[in-house]
Amino acid sequence: MNHSELLAWLRETDDDRLEILWGKADQARREHVGDAVHLRGLIEFSNYCARRCAYCGLHVDNQGVTRYRMSMDEVMVCVRLAHEFGYGTVVLQSGEDYGMTTDWMADLIRRIKSETPLAVTLSLGERSHEDLTAWREAGADRYLLRFETSNPDLYRKIHPDLGGRISDRISILNCLRELGYEVGSGVMIGIPGQTYDDLATDLLCFRDLELDMIGVGPYIPHPDTVLGRQVIDTESDQQPPRDERMVYKMVALTRIMCPWANIPSTTALATLNLVEGRELGLMRGANVVMPNLTPPEYRVFYEIYPSKACIRETAKDCHGCMGRRIESIGRRVGTGRGDSRRMKNTVFAQD
Ligand code: 5AD
Ligand code: FES
């Protein structure tokens, strides 16, 4: 699809026409990545952050956040749980936390790799080339870093630089690729000042960056952020809404543009529709979910946006919930690591 075709779908409001889009996306998903839904166990191990992203509740100036950093032993308890639950991957996520050192992280990665067969995905923000190299050498397999929007002016507005270093996530994504990581990125939908045109460009960027993993979710205003306090111009016919349907359109178009990618049905989407958001994401292009393994006493403090789904649940609750949701739509839980199929032009194996 080209830019104008993408734009037409993004602006489509006829529900019967949209059924065609859902159908195309679901078919592309089935043909390229199969019926397995891969489970990635999410461990939000630190909510310290040095940055001032205008949308995120964990930004450094937010005094209202109770900060925590889990010990290595606490993280390992979650990691073992992931293995027991049959997950193939753990995702280690934190704010951009420089109290978490290069060596500490490398030790943790080596420990996970020596004690379990799990794939390790990192989601730690804009770290230095040196850090990314050390962690890859320690055995990390994948890295997630959303570019959030392809509009350079909007990007700069919501990502203040840190210590004179210009925020350039695209160049970091290219480094990650060179270092041999599987690379993941994505965007938020409905950021104030974003346009339909920007979303179409986002989709073309996903394809051009040849991403292995692509996460898209609604922007959800957080009252303790610069952007959350901003009045949104709802009158503009250029501004896409941050509603459920807009997210499904982006999930579906992402699948069509990048048929081999691993695409999660995100927690932010589940937050918009607790009843069936996850399922509808999976039925309209997604093939991954990320059950939360963070201990309940910490997860309440990982509030990147308010009213986050799963905030009061335990790892076991989320595990059971995801399994039931996957089976309820006639899909199956994936086994194995669920590695990227992007480079493999083969019929999918039975995982
Ligand atoms: N609303 C929705 N998503 C958010 N993220 C951060 N803040 C918000 C928010 N207010 C997303 C960003 C980030 C990911 C970890 O969480 O896309 O990359
Ligand atoms: Fe966490 Fe459903 S996945 S409660």
Side-chain angles (χ1 to χ4, degrees):
M1 272 191 225
N2 60 29
H3 194 276
S4 67
E5 289 167 310
L6 291 168
L7 205 50
W9 278 120
L10 290 168
R11 285 188 175 277
E12 183 59 64
T13 54
D14 182 312
D15 284 322
D16 292 334
R17 291 267 307 147
L18 284 170
E19 285 299 328
I20 299 172
L21 181 63
W22 313 149
K24 280 180 196 282
D26 199 41
Q27 189 184 348
R29 188 270 308 155
R30 196 177 316 111
E31 284 174 8
H32 293 86
V33 293
D35 279 338
V37 176
H38 296 289
L39 304 180
R40 322 295 203 196
L42 177 65
I43 308 171
E44 299 155 329
F45 69 90
S46 162
N47 69 350
Y48 282 90
C49 191
R51 305 301 292 257
R52 296 185 165 78
C53 299
Y55 46 86
C56 179
L58 299 183
H59 68 87
V60 65
D61 299 321
N62 191 355
Q63 305 285 332
V65 180
T66 304
R67 303 286 171 170
Y68 70 89
R69 189 180 296 121
M70 288 165 61
S71 70
M72 201 173 296
D73 287 338
E74 286 176 311
V75 176
M76 287 307 297
V77 170
C78 300
V79 168
R80 280 186 214 101
L81 209 51
H83 188 42
E84 265 170 55
F85 286 159
Y87 303 168
T89 302
V90 281
V91 180
L92 302 171
Q93 188 174 84
S94 67
E96 207 167 292
D97 175 11
Y98 292 95
M100 177 275 284
T101 63
T102 316
D103 289 345
W104 185 90
M105 196 69 216
D107 285 346
L108 173 60
I109 295 163
R110 275 190 291 267
R111 205 165 148 196
I112 297 172
K113 297 307 270 189
S114 69
E115 294 179 26
T116 76
L118 296 168
V120 172
T121 302
L122 305 180
S123 177
L124 311 174
E126 299 171 37
R127 300 291 300 228
S128 68
H129 192 267
E130 198 180 21
D131 288 346
L132 301 176
T133 306
W135 299 334
R136 177 74 187 132
E137 281 170 2
D141 301 278
R142 312 180 187 138
Y143 203 101
L144 302 175
L145 183 66
R146 291 187 179 180
F147 62 79
E148 316 293 359
T149 175
S150 57
N151 176 329
D153 296 328
L154 180 58
Y155 180 88
R156 267 192 296 279
K157 257 183 226 155
I158 62 178
H159 297 106
D161 297 338
L162 179 69
R165 181 166 56 95
I166 289 168
S167 172
D168 182 356
R169 294 194 181 178
I170 301 293
S171 85
I172 298 175
L173 292 171
N174 288 324
C175 286
L176 289 165
R177 170 81 68 214
E178 277 167 27
L179 289 169
Y181 284 95
E182 273 186 32
V183 181
S185 193
V187 298
M188 289 184 294
I189 300 156
I191 309 168
Q194 192 177 41
T195 65
Y196 283 99
D197 216 76
D198 293 338
L199 292 180
T201 307
D202 293 345
L203 290 158
L204 294 170
C205 286
F206 293 163
R207 189 192 56 194
D208 295 347
L209 287 165
E210 301 186 81
L211 299 172
D212 299 292
M213 303 166 284
I214 306 167
V216 298
Y219 160 66
I220 300 171
H222 191 301
D224 302 328
T225 60
V226 170
L227 214 56
R229 286 187 285 265
Q230 189 170 314
V231 185
I232 305 171
D233 179 11
T234 44
E235 296 302 304
S236 165
D237 65 352
Q238 298 300 314
Q239 168 81 50
R242 45 181 188 80
D243 67 8
E244 236 185 303
R245 194 170 65 177
M246 204 63 230
V247 178
Y248 299 134
K249 288 182 194 175
M250 282 294 284
V251 171
L253 292 166
T254 299
R255 171 60 64 201
I256 291 164
M257 295 299 282
C258 307
W260 303 96
N262 283 322
I263 301 175
S265 185
T266 59
T267 301
L269 171 57
T271 300
L272 292 190
N273 180 349
L274 290 169
V275 180
E276 55 173 5
R278 290 265 191 214
E279 290 86 333
L280 288 171
L282 291 171
M283 292 162 73
R284 295 170 177 178
N287 72 318
V288 165
V289 290
M290 297 170 63
N292 198 322
L293 291 168
T294 313
E297 63 269 35
Y298 295 126
R299 73 167 81 179
V300 291
F301 299 126
Y302 205 84
E303 199 190 52
I304 52 187
Y305 50 82
S307 312
K308 198 167 154 219
C310 308
I311 203 89
R312 307 251 163 246
E313 275 71 18
T314 63
K316 196 157 172 246
D317 293 334
C318 288
H319 177 59
C321 173
M322 291 294 197
R324 282 190 298 278
R325 288 179 191 270
I326 291 164
E327 276 162 27
S328 78
I329 57 168
R331 300 270 280 279
R332 59 195 165 74
V333 171
T335 54
R337 296 174 19 135
D339 285 321
S340 178
R341 293 186 189 284
R342 192 180 51 85
M343 304 289 283
K344 306 185 187 69
N345 200 7
T346 55
V347 175
F348 50 86
Q350 280 308 304
D351 61 7

